[in-house]
């Protein structure tokens, strides 16, 4: 045991050795009274002693001057009473002298035995000789007391008796010290564990007591504030943060979260929380990170998500508009983003349904989670099922080893966007309904249900109620996804958005191809405003991209805008005698011929999305190679 007993008198020293043998416990024993004992305690503290045992004034002195746990060999009224043997019927005046912890309870002995006792309580060692003198002047004939009182009484030649401690008292003190050492070891282990955790987290942590003294200051705090803990611990918080809000947090008993703060040239994001025990504030703790570090971390995470394709990068501010219709639509979408219910976005092809879905995600509480998008019309039924739900190893021929995580699982704690939901086969619609009801997903070929926490946003360019009536869409699923409907108006109903959008695309594509195109001529503006845009914003974007490619001047003219687009529309004009479907099929075939089977280019010529083009090719059974 890393334990030291300091005996203030020789008899206690001898008894301590006897107790040591009886208990069969190894601990150190030294002799030293008052200041001598204090010096011994200081010396052993430097050696790393855990606990000190002593008695009387020596115990008191060590406790007050050495920062180390001290256990007292307690003196009871019975120990004092033993020294009154043979004095009860003696009429001599008795003085009981010593430190309070030694002579406590002596008055009771005087009352019980009707003895005239002079009580002399010591506080400072320098005052003891004078106190003994005063006791003698008051008529004391015998002094009963602790070691220091007896020493001075002997010097004055007065009869004296030492209040001693027996083996039981010493053994009790040793056992108490052993228990204390065990607790200290446990506390050290716990403190070291907490220290390790605090030093390895990415947040800086500072804790203060109720007076504002810094009690915790971790490695990250050292790095951010550029001051070592030796300079900071034990100092008032103002030493580190002159305009600290921690006092306000303690006074108001309220947390302050996500606060921005400037410390010199450093900008930090701070959380401040009061420490409350049994409704009493005993301090406060602040956690913080440098804003630059947070931004870098967010950028890294977003980059990783982007590499996986599970990131929403559009926000409501990115939606270019001027019309009141779009402003109201965005306002409704922002309100929806604060809820967690399923959203169904209605809008024609090219109106920007996915941009709205991404913006809603980035405005929601799930913004730090993944955004997973899939076009239900882009994949055949078997592939769509495995993409959405994943599959177990060996689920089918060609299933990769270890299986595959489905998009619903990848979207956990985030958002999944199901574009063109109307194209989802009926068999998968029932599976989707079950996922929404149970909030669990089962991989193909597996029998385990995996809990998921997702927000679903769907989009369609069709009249879903009509699809329900035609038997192409489940009625129960329709009512399940149509909780928060959002209608995006087509571009022809918000003409005031055409020119702001055109200018946005002009800036984007002229920069992309390295041209310095300044704007549009009046005739180009008039022409852009005259079109109906069946392909909506996507069609307008295609028109401006092509115009930027062919424009040779500083301004885009009408001639630049009608290139190719006019040719295809002329074909539409010549084909009025054909049915709508025949006209559409002919337009697609002509675009595929002109693009030599290039789906992306053909989609741009038609002003529609490539997935929409694929769906129509499949619908009309068009052979790409012969077109």
């Amino acid at each position: 045991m890393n334990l030291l007993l300091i005996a203030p008198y020789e008899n206690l020293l001898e008894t301590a050795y006897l107790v040591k043998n009886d208990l069969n416990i190894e601990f150190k024993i030294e002799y030293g009274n008052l200041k001598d004992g204090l010096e011994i305690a200081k010396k052993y503290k430097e050696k790393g002693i855990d606990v000190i045992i002593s008695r009387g004034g020596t115990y008191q002195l060590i406790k007050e001057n050495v920062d180390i746990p001290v256990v007292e060999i307690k003196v009871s009224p019975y120990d004092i009473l033993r020294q009154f043997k043979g004095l009860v019927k003696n009429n001599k005046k008795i003085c009981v002298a010593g430190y309070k912890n030694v002579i406590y309870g002596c008055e009771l002995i005087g009352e019980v035995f009707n003895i005239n006792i002079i009580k002399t309580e010591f506080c400072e060692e320098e005052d003891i000789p004078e106190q003994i003198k005063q006791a003698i002047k008051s008529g004391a004939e015998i002094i009963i007391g602790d070691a220091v009182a007896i020493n001075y009484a002997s010097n004055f030649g007065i009869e004296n008796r030492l209040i001693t401690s027996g083996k039981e008292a010493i053994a009790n003190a040793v056992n108490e010290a052993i228990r204390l050492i065990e607790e200290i070891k446990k506390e050290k282990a716990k403190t070291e564990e907490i220290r390790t955790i605090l030093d390895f987290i990415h947040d800086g942590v500072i804790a203060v007591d109720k007076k504002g003294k810094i009690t915790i200051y971790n490695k990250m705090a050292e790095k951010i504030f550029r001051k070592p803990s030796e300079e900071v611990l034990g100092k008032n918080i103002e030493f580190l943060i002159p305009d600290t809000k921690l006092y306000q947090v303690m006074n108001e008993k309220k947390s302050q979260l996500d606060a921005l703060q400037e410390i010199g040239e450093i900008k930090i994001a701070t959380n401040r929380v009061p420490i409350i025990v049994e409704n009493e504030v005993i301090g406060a703790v602040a956690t913080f990170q440098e804003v630059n570090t947070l931004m870098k971390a967010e950028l890294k995470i977003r980059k990783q998500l982007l590499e996986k394709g599970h990131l929403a990068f559009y926000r409501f501010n990115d939606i270019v508009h001027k019309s009141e219709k779009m402003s109201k639509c965005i306002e409704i979408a922002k309100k929806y983003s604060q809820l967690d219910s399923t959203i169904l976005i209605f809008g024609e092809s090219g109106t920007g349904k996915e941009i709205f879905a991404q913006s809603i995600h980035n405005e929601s509480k799930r913004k730090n989670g993944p955004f997973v998008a899939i076009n239900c019309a882009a994949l055949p039924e078997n592939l769509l099922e495995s993409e959405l739900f994943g599959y177990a190893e060996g689920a089918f021929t060609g299933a990769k080893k270890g299986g595959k995580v489905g998009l619903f699982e990848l979207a956990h704690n985030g958002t999944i966007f199901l574009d063109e939901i109307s194209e989802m086969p009926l068999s998968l619609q029932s599976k989707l309904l079950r996922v929404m009801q149970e909030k669990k997903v089962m991989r193909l070929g597996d029998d385990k249900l995996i809990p998921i926490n997702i927000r679903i946003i769907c989009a369609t360019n069709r009249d879903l109620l009509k699809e329900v009536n035609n038997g192409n869409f489940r009625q129960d699923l329709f009512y399940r996804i149509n909780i928060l409907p959002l209608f995006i108006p087509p571009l022809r109903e918000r003409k005031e958005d055409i020119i702001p959008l055109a200018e946005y695309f002009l800036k984007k594509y002229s920069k992309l191809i390295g041209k310095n195109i300044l704007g549009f001529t009046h005739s180009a503006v008039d022409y852009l405003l005259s079109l109906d845009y069946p392909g909506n914003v996507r069609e307008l974007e295609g028109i401006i991209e092509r115009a930027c490619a062919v424009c040779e001047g500083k301004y885009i003219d009408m001639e630049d805008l009608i290139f190719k687009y006019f040719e295809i529309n002329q074909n539409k004009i010549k084909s009025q005698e054909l049915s709508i479907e025949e006209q559409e099929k002919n337009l697609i075939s002509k675009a595929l011929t002109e693009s030599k089977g290039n789906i992306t280019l053909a989609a741009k010529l038609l002003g529609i999305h490539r997935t929409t083009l694929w769906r129509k090719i499949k619908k009309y059974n068009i052979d790409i190679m012969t077109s």
Side-chain angles (χ1 to χ4, degrees), residues 149-377:
I150 299 312
N151 285 340
Y152 282 111
S154 298
N155 291 338
F156 289 119
I158 187 171
E159 186 181 346
N160 55 77
R161 293 186 182 186
L162 176 65
I163 301 171
T164 58
S165 294
K167 289 171 67 175
E168 297 82 4
I170 297 171
N172 287 339
V174 171
N175 287 327
E176 175 65 16
I178 290 169
R179 188 194 63 77
L180 187 57
I181 286 173
E182 294 296 335
E183 291 299 321
I184 288 169
K185 283 182 178 178
K186 287 179 186 176
E187 195 62 35
K188 278 184 178 177
K190 190 176 180 181
T191 301
E192 192 56 39
E193 181 183 2
I194 293 169
R195 170 56 60 190
T196 303
I197 292 168
L198 288 173
D199 284 343
F200 281 89
I201 61 175
H202 293 293
D203 285 18
V205 180
I206 294 177
V208 299
D209 62 19
K210 60 184 177 183
K211 292 182 179 178
K213 281 192 176 180
I214 299 171
T215 56
I216 293 175
Y217 182 76
N218 72 344
K219 294 285 185 188
M220 187 55 72
E222 287 184 342
K223 185 178 178 182
I224 292 173
F225 287 96
R226 297 173 178 84
K227 286 185 185 291
S229 58
E230 303 84 55
E231 287 184 21
V232 173
L233 287 172
K235 298 277 181 68
N236 271 26
I237 186 66
E238 293 91 336
F239 169 77
L240 197 66
I241 308 172
D243 58 342
T244 180
K245 302 288 190 302
L246 287 178
Y247 292 113
Q248 182 183 345
V249 166
M250 288 190 279
N251 290 334
E252 295 178 359
K253 292 186 179 182
K254 286 183 181 178
S255 301
Q256 295 178 358
L257 305 178
D258 299 322
L260 284 176
Q261 190 174 11
E262 288 190 14
I263 309 296
E265 297 179 358
I266 307 168
K267 288 185 179 179
I268 59 175
T270 308
N271 293 319
R272 308 180 189 97
V273 181
I275 303 170
I276 302 174
V277 177
E278 294 183 353
N279 206 34
E280 181 185 349
V281 176
I282 63 167
V285 63
T287 62
F288 42 85
Q289 283 190 341
E290 282 193 70
V291 172
N292 286 341
T293 304
L294 283 171
M295 290 171 68
K296 286 177 184 176
E298 183 182 355
L299 188 63
K300 184 179 178 182
I301 292 167
R302 293 180 75 83
K303 185 179 177 184
Q304 289 172 348
L305 288 170
L306 183 59
E307 287 169 356
K308 294 177 182 177
H310 301 148
L311 180 71
F313 45 87
Y314 285 111
R315 299 179 181 276
F316 286 116
N317 289 341
D318 298 320
I319 300 174
V320 178
H321 71 288
K322 193 177 180 182
S323 66
E324 185 64 26
K325 280 189 176 182
M326 277 301 278
S327 293
K328 285 182 178 178
C329 187
I330 291 169
E331 186 181 337
I332 292 168
K334 283 183 177 180
K335 290 177 181 177
Y336 285 177
S337 68
Q338 301 309 306
L339 306 173
D340 216 24
S341 304
T342 304
I343 296 173
L344 179 56
I345 303 175
F346 295 91
E348 295 179 5
S349 292
T351 49
K353 295 185 288 295
E354 183 165 352
I355 291 176
F356 266 86
Q358 291 190 22
S359 301
I360 289 167
H361 172 81
N362 279 330
E363 191 86 1
S364 75
K365 63 183 179 183
R366 296 177 179 268
K367 61 185 176 184
N368 294 321
F371 177 87
V372 179
I374 186 168
N375 189 307
C376 298

Side-chain angles (χ1 to χ4, degrees), residues 382-598:
N382 61 331
L383 279 179
L384 180 61
E385 185 176 16
S386 64
E387 283 295 313
L388 286 173
F389 302 102
Y391 55 78
E393 184 175 342
F396 49 82
T397 304
K400 72 177 184 179
K401 190 175 180 180
K404 181 182 179 180
V405 178
L407 296 181
F408 281 112
E409 288 180 65
L410 289 174
H412 183 60
N413 289 330
T415 303
I416 189 165
F417 175 55
L418 304 174
D419 196 8
E420 298 202 54
I421 187 73
S422 58
E423 307 304 312
M424 181 179 281
L426 283 167
S427 60
L428 293 190
Q429 289 179 29
S430 61
K431 276 197 168 187
L432 172 60
L433 184 63
R434 190 161 59 249
V435 168
M436 294 180 71
Q437 288 171 341
E438 297 177 1
K439 299 190 184 304
K440 292 176 183 175
V441 67
M442 185 186 293
R443 295 183 186 179
L444 294 176
D446 206 348
D447 58 357
K448 289 182 291 188
L449 285 169
I450 302 165
I452 53 171
N453 174 22
I454 57 171
R455 202 260 183 96
I456 297 176
I457 300 178
C458 302
T460 182
N461 59 5
R462 291 177 180 264
D463 182 341
L464 275 189
L465 268 178
K466 188 176 179 182
E467 295 298 314
V468 168
N469 293 331
N470 292 338
N472 297 325
F473 202 82
R474 290 180 64 109
Q475 186 179 44
D476 49 4
L477 180 59
F478 171 71
Y479 289 117
R480 188 81 185 186
I481 64 175
N482 191 34
I483 297 171
L484 300 175
L486 182 67
F487 299 89
I488 302 177
L491 190 56
R492 63 182 173 275
E493 292 180 9
R494 47 188 179 100
K495 294 272 186 177
E496 54 265 61
D497 290 339
I498 293 172
I499 301 308
L501 282 165
E503 289 171 345
Y504 171 80
F505 293 133
L506 170 63
K507 187 176 180 181
K508 175 183 173 180
Y509 288 107
S510 63
K511 183 179 179 181
L512 196 64
I513 59 179
K515 291 185 178 181
N516 186 27
I517 303 173
L518 302 177
F520 301 93
T521 63
H522 290 300
S523 61
V525 169
D526 291 341
Y527 179 71
L528 286 172
L529 291 172
S530 71
L531 299 176
D532 284 337
Y533 299 101
N536 291 290
V537 178
R538 192 181 291 123
E539 180 182 356
L540 174 61
E541 182 177 6
I543 292 170
I544 302 303
E545 184 180 359
R546 290 191 296 275
C548 287
V550 300
C551 178
E552 294 179 353
K554 291 291 183 183
Y555 292 89
I556 287 176
D557 199 4
M558 189 174 72
E559 293 299 319
D560 301 317
L561 295 170
I562 61 174
F563 180 78
K564 288 289 181 187
Y565 176 79
F566 182 74
E567 184 181 330
I568 293 173
N569 275 275
Q570 284 286 39
N571 185 69
K572 187 188 287 187
I573 293 165
K574 291 174 185 176
S575 307
Q576 289 298 321
E577 68 277 5
L578 300 175
S579 69
I580 298 297
E581 290 192 343
E582 286 175 323
Q583 290 182 49
E584 189 173 50
K585 183 177 178 180
N586 288 343
L587 281 170
I588 291 169
S589 296
K590 184 169 179 61
L592 286 167
T593 301
E594 292 193 16
S595 65
K596 296 179 181 179
N598 186 315

